[in-house]
Amino acid sequence: MKETSTAGETSISVDERYTQWKSLVPVLYDWLANHNLVWPSLSCRWGPQLEQATYKNRQRLYLSEQTDGSVPNTLVIANCEVVKPRVAAAEHIAQFNEEARSPFVKKFKTIIHPGEVNRIRELPQNSKIVATHTDSPDVLIWDVETQPNRHAVLGTPESRPDLILTGHKDNAEFALAMCPTEPLVLSGGKDKSVVLWSIQDHISTLAADPGSAKSTSKAGGGNDKPVESPSIGARGIYQGHDDTVEDVQFCPLSAQEFCSVGDDSCLILWDARSGTTPAIKVEKAHNADLHCVDWNPHDINLILTGSADNTVRMFDRRKLSSGGIGSPIHTFEGHTAAVLCVQWSPDKASIFGSSAEDGILNLWNHEKIDKKQAPNAPPGLFFRHAGHRDKVVDFHWNASDPWTIVSVSDDGESTGGGGTLQIWRMIDLIYRNEDEVLAELDNFKAHLATCSP
């Protein structure tokens, strides 16, 4: 994935934008936690919710650490305190320091990862099982609960994955997805292939039973003899791209249907029931490399793509012909640099987010494309998260708390630092029903009238 610094923006304009955003934080956000990272993180994912309390919930958070080699690369399992809606005071939200570590994020366990962690995906059937991509042809499967906690110092032996998925002929760096309906894993790579595995092909059926998932290998270290991790081959290898496959995604309701995008500017839909060749191939889905794709979990006809041409496009799969001719329903133009990540909301069918190398995470409502927007706002755009000062490489909606988002930026080029992790929730007055909001504001107006000066 090509991740260069934002074109056409000076560091001054980024700083000015950030300063302006910071002044608006108490007005725009219901909650915001800022966590300075020592090393850049290329992937962030919510794990299972662990505990519910009166004012906040405790939840797992999965992060990667991409180091310079002075210490090992790691997969970090953290515990995150997620403050509930309308609990945090505006004073607390305003008092954050971009150099500080958030007290809401605490490291729980460290896995020494063999190579950089480029992508993390959790298994929907058991979110304690995660898959990771690194700069190798293999996909690694980890049981994060049974893996031993390791101390990340130089010379520490690498943690041993619970399972290795083999089948790529070249590095598979970014394209990774888990199936919502069955324990299937999908990957794409530099070999131009899309590869499909079933975790159940492993003899111990790792994660088939969430209550009894066991690690199948012991981590080598100390006086232990290294134990080879078990591996499985692919269920299917799908050929149709002419360049690196950058992202893959399953159809939310089908283990047999999936899609992929790549540096050949193609969007391909696949159906495993009809062989290993494309079911539908959109030859020119964008005017440049495609970096990301997501399939709407509430409306399986809608697919989003993000590209190096700075745009997000929405396709209706019913309007794509088998001849490969298909036009997007809409092109969303709100970024000034390559789009790196797109993701539908787990809660609302019309809402999605997009993040880019311009340091912005945009939230969109495609049902509002034709409605009057704020002056100069692109159609459908209703919120811009400008809290990052460099490329926003990943973000993830929280399914347990749907308007809460975790996002990470790689800040090496702009601030000379590592990365920034932010967990945030916009104020609900922005997205709630307009009549409800006006009624609530009217009540505040009546209350203010009774307050003494």
Side-chain angles (χ1 to χ4, degrees), residues 222-234:
N223 297 320
D224 295 344
K225 287 184 179 178
V227 178
E228 287 300 318
S229 300
S231 64
I232 57 170

Side-chain angles (χ1 to χ4, degrees), residues 76-93:
V76 174
I77 297 93
N79 288 336
C80 179
E81 304 285 344
V82 181
V83 175
K84 289 187 175 181
R86 298 202 165 198
V87 168
E91 292 82 7
H92 157 76
I93 297 168

Side-chain angles (χ1 to χ4, degrees), residues 97-114:
N97 176 352
E98 48 267 17
E99 306 305 325
R101 304 282 176 86
S102 170
F104 296 103
V105 180
K106 293 184 173 65
K107 194 176 281 192
F108 170 72
K109 184 182 283 189
T110 301
I111 291 170
I112 306 295
H113 197 273

